[in-house]
Amino acid sequence: MSAVPVIAALPLNAPGFWRRAARHHSFVLGAVLTLLLVFTALLSFVWTPFSPYDVDMAAKMMPPDARHWLGTDAYGRDIVSLLLVGARASIAVGLIAVGIGLVIGTAFGLLAAAERGWVEEAIMRLADFGFAFPAILSAIMLTAVFGGGMVNAIIAIGIYNIPTFARITRASANAVWSREFILAARACGKGKLAITMEHVLPNILSVLIVQATIRFAIAILAEAALSYLGLGTQPPQPSWGRMLSEAQTLLFQSPMLAVYPGVAIALAVLGLNLLGDGLSDLFDPRLTRKR
Amino acid sequence: MSLFLFKRLITLVATLIGASVVVFLVLEVLPGNAAQMLMGPDASPEAVHALAVKLGIDLPPLQRYGNWIAGLLTGDLGLSYAYSTPVADLVFERLSLTIPLALMAMTITTIVALAAGVFAAARHNKLGDVGVMGISQIGIAIPNFWFAILLILLFSVHLRWFSAGGFPGWDDGIFEGVKSLMLPAISLAVVQAAILTRITRSAVLEVSREDFVRTARAKGVSRRGTLWGHVLRNAMIPVITVMGLQFAELLAGTIVIENVFYLPGLGRLIFQSISNRDLIVVRNCVMLLAAMVVVVNFVVDLLYAVIDPRVKPSDI
């Protein structure tokens, strides 16, 4: 939303960067929560207390105990196991959907900034037009035609991300194109493609990384909403959104079933948002100079 | 008419036409034989053809598109396959819930965000500011449909102040209608209020550091006078831009929230129509929502120009 993007090359090797990062509360908390999310998803590949696919009606809706730390759901499935495996769906959808938006949107943004004129105008008008279809609306159109599923959810959220990345890339790249070192590169005879790849892209990477982190969080929320509606991840694959949908029918009997998946989603999104805020501060050269 | 307005109107119309082409291609051309899809694979070819003729989908795509657009402009949206009633009647009936719901959510968002944002900015880096920022960070991370479920748990299951879902209609009185939309509106508003609070706070802080604010204070204008007379007006520029985008998000969000509370609005109609494979209803509802999003953004652009004199070209 920032009107004037702050452009700087990735300062990961800059002296004192990691020391400043370690002192930045948002960054540290965000990184810890995000690593926890990734660790949870990875752990589920090698270990879960029980199989999240095994239905055991004799053990349905058990309260928390030593065997089932958070109890069981209406089908007797272990909640901890469902939460662990559910993290996979969130990460998979987030990674691929943001990847689609990042690759295609950035390419269009770079093209717009390099060519200017009618190409830029056309791409930006297309991006404006993309905003007419929020993720849920795109997903509904795809689902109406092809049916629900994780792939359609990924495509819908990915398409939704493209205009955002195109706009941010173009704004940031335009700022880089107006710099003196670009003029020098042009004077040396470098073409637009070479300048874009060697000078523009490395200088807008920090902006893109921050944006990717934030869009990842939004993708997790969108996936959860679509799965809640039954349009996203399909059974028997566990997903946090569908766990909430199933829990809603049991609100009177077992209200806590509706609490755990929501807390998992909120922590994952909070972690990514804090990480994005932290990175945004750490990559901002104006804040670096102030310190 | 100013050149600015004219250019924006052209963009608006072009965007609406583009959106209609996408909706038509995805929901009308991509599925192939929609009549076959509606009747299932076991239907006889004669029955499929009869339905295709009834729905007007036996015509060439370009003609169907032209008919659809003509229908949209005259209010004739065709006949719902599942409900056997005109789509326009269905949509109009459902909008009487969805529009008030989105407006209630936007009102709650605006009141909470402006109050909390200005409160936090006035206490920059103090406890109040840190508290508001912490709460807003959590608010942004909460899925609105989960917050809706938590509200049902608290206010419907435990306290029994509100019903857990459903809508009695406006015939039972405005109070009953508003009451049944209160929890859904709060659920929709929470995330948007959290985002707008942060935008308001940073906008107020940024404008407070401007030279003209210092000049106003130096001339003896009170803190309150400076805030209301100078800071807020200028701080509203980014706030209104975000509000426009948020209203679009709220409209899309009604699809999920109406399903949480079993509200018979446009969002639930879309959802039910997908289950019924009633593509004609899905197509018109998606187009309507997309059009509302585009028009809201257009209005925001105009407001932006009214509030910020720098945006206005010389002829506005």
Side-chain angles (χ1 to χ4, degrees), chain A residues 170 236 267 282:
Chain A
R170 175 248 186 187
L267 284 178
L282 291 167

Side-chain angles (χ1 to χ4, degrees), chain A residues 119-180:
Chain A
V119 175
E120 183 182 30
E121 189 65 22
I123 290 174
M124 284 308 105
R125 292 295 75 79
L126 267 177
D128 282 349
F129 159 68
F131 285 111
F133 296 97
I136 196 119
L137 222 48
S138 311
I140 275 172
M141 282 203 291
L142 289 176
T143 311
V145 178
F146 300 111
M150 196 200 252
V151 174
N152 289 340
I154 288 172
I155 294 172
I157 301 167
I159 290 173
Y160 174 63
N161 279 328
I162 293 173
T164 309
F165 278 104
R167 268 194 174 188
I168 286 165
T169 303
R170 175 248 186 187
S172 309
N174 273 347
V176 178
W177 273 97
S178 63
R179 297 268 194 88
E180 284 84 1

Side-chain angles (χ1 to χ4, degrees), chain B residues 95-111 170 178 181-182 184-186 188-189 192 243 246-252 254 258 292 296:
Chain B
L95 275 179
S96 68
L97 185 149
T98 301
I99 297 282
L101 174 60
L103 287 175
M104 275 174 71
M106 197 68 234
T107 308
I108 296 170
T109 299
T110 310
I111 292 171
W170 297 110
V178 168
L181 293 184
M182 192 50 84
I186 294 172
L188 272 172
Q192 307 305 336
M243 278 169 68
Q246 288 192 312
F247 193 69
E249 289 286 328
L250 285 177
L251 283 171
T254 56
E258 284 176 3
M292 285 199 272
V296 167

Side-chain angles (χ1 to χ4, degrees), chain B residues 49 79 93 122 133 252 258:
Chain B
H49 180 70
L79 207 64
E93 184 190 321
M133 286 300 95
E258 284 176 3

